[in-house]
Amino acid sequence: MAVRGRLSTWERIHKYDPRAVTTCVFCNSHLESHAHLFLECLFSRAIWTQLLNYYGSPWNGLCWNDFIAWASAYWRGNTHIIVAKKLCLGATVYHIWKEHNCRIFKGIQRTSSLVACSIIDTIRCRLSSINLKDHPLIALNWNVNAN
Ligand SMILES: [Zn+2]
């Protein structure tokens, strides 16, 4: 849903309810769109910065929509490296959205570092169920057992 821009961000809710707040729940200073929430916000950027240390490659500099289009075009198939990349994107979107909802509905806030730790734990857990014996770099990057 995040990739298709279908999550109920404040930008989308505002189209149906003009009284709705439109500012980002993380920084309280920008319009809360999918692009802002998942990539452009300083909170999300801090998470991505931590993840890229594990991911093993720098950010390609694309905006959210271009990144999603690029990933859709190139992340095809189920090779181990593609699965790891999809896991990283999926877990990051899931945990950022979860943090978004926790702040709105429960009034609970975590730091970007704690959210990044949850994402890394999720990815490690999923990768540990995959045989990475022939992919030691993925195992090394994410600090999981290769067997
Ligand atoms: Zn923000």
Side-chain angles (χ1 to χ4, degrees):
M1 289 180 68
V3 167
R4 294 183 178 177
R6 298 286 173 91
L7 294 173
S8 296
T9 60
W10 288 124
E11 179 187 41
R12 288 195 76 219
I13 292 171
H14 188 72
K15 291 177 184 172
Y16 306 105
D17 182 2
R19 297 168 298 159
V21 177
T22 58
T23 52
C24 171
V25 70
F26 297 135
C27 67
N28 291 315
S29 62
H30 290 85
L31 174 66
E32 189 188 273
S33 64
H34 283 75
H36 178 78
L37 198 63
F38 293 112
L39 185 63
E40 296 166 359
C41 183
L42 290 178
F43 182 84
S44 303
R45 281 285 168 122
I47 292 169
W48 280 108
T49 299
Q50 283 188 256
L51 291 175
L52 290 174
N53 291 332
Y54 289 86
Y55 188 70
S57 64
W59 181 251
N60 56 20
L62 297 174
C63 70
W64 177 251
N65 290 335
D66 290 345
F67 170 65
I68 294 302
W70 175 82
S72 298
Y74 292 102
W75 292 1
R76 300 215 172 248
N78 287 319
T79 63
H80 287 74
I81 190 71
I82 295 298
V83 168
K85 289 177 179 183
K86 289 177 180 176
L87 261 175
C88 187
L89 175 61
T92 304
V93 165
Y94 171 80
H95 282 280
I96 288 174
W97 187 245
K98 182 180 174 185
E99 177 65 19
H100 168 271
N101 289 340
C102 276
R103 288 182 181 214
I104 292 172
F105 299 114
K106 295 181 180 175
I108 299 170
Q109 293 188 16
R110 296 187 304 163
T111 64
S112 60
S113 292
L114 286 175
V115 175
C117 285
S118 296
I119 294 166
I120 292 163
D121 286 346
T122 298
I123 294 168
R124 281 182 177 155
C125 183
R126 299 298 296 271
L127 287 176
S128 67
S129 68
I130 299 172
N131 184 343
L132 295 172
K133 192 164 44 175
D134 295 331
H135 304 279
L137 187 58
I138 297 172
L140 181 68
N141 283 349
W142 292 98
N143 196 22
V144 294
N145 219 343
N147 54 6

